[in-house]
Amino acid sequence: FAVIGHDRGARVGYRLALDHPQAVAAFVSLTVVPILDNWAAVNKAFALNAYHWFLLAQPYDLPERLIGADPEHFLDYTLRRMAQGRDIYHPQALESYRRAFRDPAVRHAMCEDYRAAVGVDADADQADRDAGRRLQCPVQVLWQERPYAAGQHPLEIWKIWAGQVEGAAIGASHMLPEDAARLGVHDGQNVSLEVDGIRGGVLRNTIVRVTSQSGLECHVDTEEANAIGLSSSSRVRIVQ
């Protein structure tokens, strides 16, 4: 079977492919590189942006006590940072996150996740690196369009771990699944696009394309774009 994972799911996915290569036919990582390489590339910019990595990995029960003082504020602030300030979360999804995060057992489990990243996860990666073990299946990696820690390229990192690697950057934030879901569209759907601006207008009969490598992009012929004054800074609304 094929495995597609994001965050902890991706780390479980590549560990599954390494430990049980006969079971995994293909692996897709959404915005994740192996933890060993992640730690090796940490710099000041990464540390400031991914502050929760270092906070939640502290020994029990320091982070549990700190985030438990105001769980909803910590969660909302962190999700906004992950989404790069964009309003991408569906209200029902956001409420589900908040409801779960109110549970002390859930917050403890999340801390244990980050503790694993500095402990057993990193140790397992290092053991595989030392032994020369690599993923035997094809690997695809998708990442958001921004530099990775210390300027490293995700494809080059994954080529250390696998022989068959492909991927691309897409116009999205760290929360790829939410980016797609919030638009409420599906592959092949016919929509209209409302364009703001001095001239503005509506582009009708626009076909939505959704694939595993789709990005948040709008492709318009030059002549059509010029006719309504569309530029890279224009605001566009999807009308269904």
Side-chain angles (χ1 to χ4, degrees):
F1 53 84
V3 177
I4 302 175
H6 170 61
D7 265 359
R8 169 53 55 179
R11 302 202 189 286
V12 171
Y14 80 75
R15 175 52 44 199
L16 176 64
L18 283 166
D19 291 349
H20 304 280
Q22 74 285 354
V24 181
F27 172 62
V28 179
S29 171
L30 302 179
T31 76
V32 168
V33 297
I35 195 65
L36 193 66
D37 300 280
N38 219 124
W39 288 129
V42 166
N43 56 18
K44 181 172 72 173
F46 178 87
L48 289 173
N49 185 62
Y51 55 88
H52 58 289
W53 280 54
F54 306 93
L55 170 62
L56 301 184
Q58 296 301 311
Y60 177 82
D61 63 347
L62 175 63
E64 284 91 343
R65 287 178 177 271
L66 293 177
I67 65 178
D70 193 346
E72 191 162 306
H73 176 76
F74 178 83
L75 176 68
D76 287 357
Y77 180 84
T78 303
L79 288 176
R80 285 196 301 272
R81 290 289 295 268
M82 287 181 173
Q84 300 172 17
R86 296 156 56 197
D87 182 19
I88 66 171
Y89 303 105
H90 190 284
Q92 289 181 327
L94 190 57
E95 179 52 36
S96 294
Y97 293 151
R98 289 169 175 165
R99 183 168 55 251
F101 204 66
R102 294 182 191 116
D103 184 346
V106 170
R107 298 196 298 270
H108 172 65
M110 294 179 69
C111 293
E112 289 292 280
D113 177 12
Y114 286 91
R115 290 175 184 130
V118 299
V120 294
D121 289 353
D123 292 344
D125 277 11
Q126 187 64 62
D128 285 328
R129 176 72 58 82
D130 293 344
R133 284 190 290 270
R134 306 174 79 207
L135 280 79
Q136 301 304 305
C137 63
V139 173
Q140 182 183 75
V141 55
L142 304 177
W143 66 94
Q144 63 270 39
E145 292 178 322
R146 64 171 176 79
Y148 258 56
Q152 293 204 351
H153 196 287
L155 286 183
E156 295 308 312
I157 293 174
W158 275 108
K159 286 177 180 177
I160 299 172
W161 290 91
Q164 302 177 65
V165 180
E166 65 174 20
I170 67 175
S173 68
H174 184 61
M175 290 295 186
L176 294 174
E178 284 82 356
D179 271 331
R182 75 182 178 88
L183 296 176
V185 296
H186 58 80
D187 188 50
Q189 184 175 352
N190 192 315
V191 300
S192 295
L193 299 179
E194 286 187 354
V195 181
D196 289 342
I198 297 176
R199 302 170 73 178
V202 178
L203 298 172
R204 304 188 188 281
N205 298 315
T206 304
I207 304 300
V208 175
R209 297 300 182 200
V210 179
T211 71
S212 62
Q213 298 189 48
S214 294
L216 298 179
E217 299 177 345
C218 177
H219 297 272
V220 181
D221 289 339
T222 302
E223 293 79 7
E224 292 178 321
N226 289 338
I228 59 175
L230 180 66
S231 70
S232 59
S233 61
S234 298
R235 293 181 61 87
V236 177
R237 288 186 295 275
I238 298 176
V239 180
Q240 302 184 45

